[in-house]
């Protein structure tokens, strides 16, 4: 069931004892006990004063026991976790932790939020002072590192009075499922593409391509040579003469986004975009980000968007549709895509796509080309779809290989590496050129440049009305 928001739900719970005897002396107590050794200095001259050390330590321990007795029970403390933004790659997520209790003591608390490594590499310890009957809150930021479903664990609480002699541990059972989405683009990010889309839509409204599509445009008198299937028999009956329907090219088409989740898409690529923390995302993560951007733009342009994510099996399948609810389902499906360790079954995906979409549509196929002496299956699959569809074929290059191919070698070893990289680049170009010769539109790009290239090519297809 879909949540009304992409944010995980807020959770809160009363604390539970961490164990039967979850107390501990603080460093302050050991420091005070150590100060008791100062009594040994006068005790060196007057031996009776050495007993002052025992008296001092006893007083410190009694004070610690009283401090522990005054600490409230864990059940009287409520701790909550709220997500202030949706977890998605490339965006920081703000989390708010809150503490509320009804006791008479102010508490110094240390909270450790047990989040998975997909959200944070090492959980941090957060300090907070909670006064009676007032909710104390703190916020911190995490940067999601991997897409998909994860489990946020419990919150561990260590608290003590302002005297600070004894600490008590508790655990807050607020485990919850969290879904990390692909990179979400805002309207500001897409402003340029949206403006261009509006201009193209206005142009298409002014240019009526009569007879090129199957969208009803108007009626006219029947002319010799008109297809009898286009005759409007109800209008003909009313007028007493044959009337033919005129059609125009459809302004709303189906756009299929086909994502390869095979082993080639598991390769990680550093994201060194300006203003962002450097992360190593998989090529599939980049593909999902591009899919989100294209889906948003296509839906805004009035097209229907479908999704097919496949590896050895079909992982996600979503028929073309439009609307905010459909975009939400699209995001949920992308978040669940997983890169597989084996080669994807491209021909099976082609056959399934052919059954799902019998009418002409735009197919964005994001994949990579295997380094093999044989012709990759994905090329054959794309060629089969060209008979009926417009195929925008995107191959993601590996930046490290491209850098080696461009570099000037300084020794023999680098020369061989450069030659191998250039041979790989030449073979990719040859395969894509053959696909272009058959009618496909191809893009060979780096992962971090893919989104802009795909959106520009989509708008170009719309502008030329070749769909």
């Amino acid at each position: 069931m879909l949540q009304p928001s992409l944010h995980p739900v807020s959770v809160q719970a009363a604390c539970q004892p961490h164990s039967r005897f979850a107390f501990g002396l603080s460093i302050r107590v050991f420091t005070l006990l150590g100060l008791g050794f100062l009594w040994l200095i006068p005790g060196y001259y007057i031996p009776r004063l050495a007993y002052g050390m025992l008296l001092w330590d006893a007083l410190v321990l009694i004070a610690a026991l009283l401090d522990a007795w005054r600490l409230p029970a864990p059940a009287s403390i409520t701790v909550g976790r709220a997500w202030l933004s949706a977890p998605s790659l490339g965006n920081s997520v703000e989390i708010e932790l809150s503490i509320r209790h009804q006791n008479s003591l102010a508490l110094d608390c240390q909270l450790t939020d047990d989040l998975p490594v997909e959200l944070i590499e090492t959980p941090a310890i957060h300090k907070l002072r909670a006064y009676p009957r007032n909710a104390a809150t703190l916020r911190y930021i995490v940067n999601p590192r991997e897409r998909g479903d994860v489990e946020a664990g419990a919150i561990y609480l260590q608290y003590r009075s302002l005297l600070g002699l004894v600490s008590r541990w508790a655990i807050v059972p607020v485990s919850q499922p969290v879904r990390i989405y692909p990179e979400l683009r805002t309207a500001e990010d897409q402003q340029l593409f949206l403006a261009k889309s509006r201009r193209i839509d206005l142009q298409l409204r002014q240019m009526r391509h009569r007879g090129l599509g199957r969208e009803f445009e108007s009626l006219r008198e029947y002319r010799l040579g008109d297809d009898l299937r286009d005759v409007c028999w109800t209008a003909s009956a009313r007028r007493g003469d044959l009337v033919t329907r005129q059609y125009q090219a459809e302004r709303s088409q189906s756009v299929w986004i086909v994502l390869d989740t095979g082993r080639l898409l598991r390769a990680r690529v550093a994201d060194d975009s300006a203003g962002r923390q450097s992360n190593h995302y998989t090529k599939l993560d980049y593909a999902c980000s591009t899919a989100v951007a294209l889906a948003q733009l296509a839906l805004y342009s009035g097209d229907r968007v479908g999704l097919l994510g496949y590896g050895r099996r079909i992982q996600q399948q979503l028929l073309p549709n439009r609307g905010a609810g459909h975009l939400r389902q699209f995001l949920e499906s992308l978040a669940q895509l997983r890169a597989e360790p084996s080669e994807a079954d491209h021909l099976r995906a082609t056959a399934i796509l052919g059954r799902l979409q019998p009418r002409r549509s735009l197919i964005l196929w994001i994949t990579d080309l295997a380094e093999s002496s044989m012709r990759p299956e994905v090329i054959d699959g794309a060629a089969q779809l060209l008979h009926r569809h417009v195929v925008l074929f995107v191959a993601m290059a590996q930046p490290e290989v491209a850098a080696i191919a461009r570099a000037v070698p300084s020794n023999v070893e680098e020369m061989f590496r450069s030659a191998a990289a250039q041979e790989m680049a030449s073979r990719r170009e040859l395969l894509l050129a053959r696909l272009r010769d058959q009618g496909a539109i191809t893009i060979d790009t780096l992962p971090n440049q893919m989104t802009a290239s795909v959106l520009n090519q989509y708008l170009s297809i719309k502008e030329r009305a070749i769909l």
Side-chain angles (χ1 to χ4, degrees), residues 381-400:
Q384 292 178 20
L385 294 173
L386 285 171
H387 301 294
R388 182 171 296 172
H389 306 284
V390 176
V391 177
L392 176 55
F393 188 88
V394 180
M396 276 186 286
Q398 192 69 23
E400 292 82 357

Side-chain angles (χ1 to χ4, degrees), residues 76-77 100-105 131-134:
S76 64
I77 304 173
R100 180 185 291 273
H101 69 93
Q102 302 295 331
N103 304 288
S104 58
L105 288 178
Y131 292 95
R133 293 173 288 281
N134 288 323

Side-chain angles (χ1 to χ4, degrees), residues 116 118 146-152 176-181 332 335-338:
E118 289 84 356
E146 291 188 18
R147 195 175 30 79
D149 293 336
V150 297
E151 183 78 12
Q176 64 176 138
V178 175
R179 176 161 291 174
I180 303 174
Y181 295 91
E332 301 288 349
Q336 299 175 68
L337 285 178
R338 282 281 175 268

Side-chain angles (χ1 to χ4, degrees), residues 400-410 414-415 417-419 421-422:
E400 292 82 357
V401 177
I404 293 173
R406 290 194 304 269
V408 178
S410 58
E414 290 185 1
M415 182 188 70
R417 294 178 62 191
S418 177
Q422 291 176 8

Side-chain angles (χ1 to χ4, degrees), residues 192-225:
L192 179 62
F193 300 104
L194 295 176
K196 190 173 181 181
S197 174
R198 282 194 293 270
R199 179 178 61 79
I200 293 172
D201 186 59
L202 288 174
Q203 290 176 349
L204 292 177
R205 287 174 186 273
Q206 295 169 357
M207 298 169 54
R208 293 174 178 268
H209 299 275
R210 289 179 177 174
L212 296 180
R214 298 302 299 172
E215 184 175 287
F216 177 76
E217 192 268 339
S218 61
L219 296 173
R220 63 166 173 79
E221 293 182 356
Y222 178 81
R223 296 172 185 167
L224 188 62

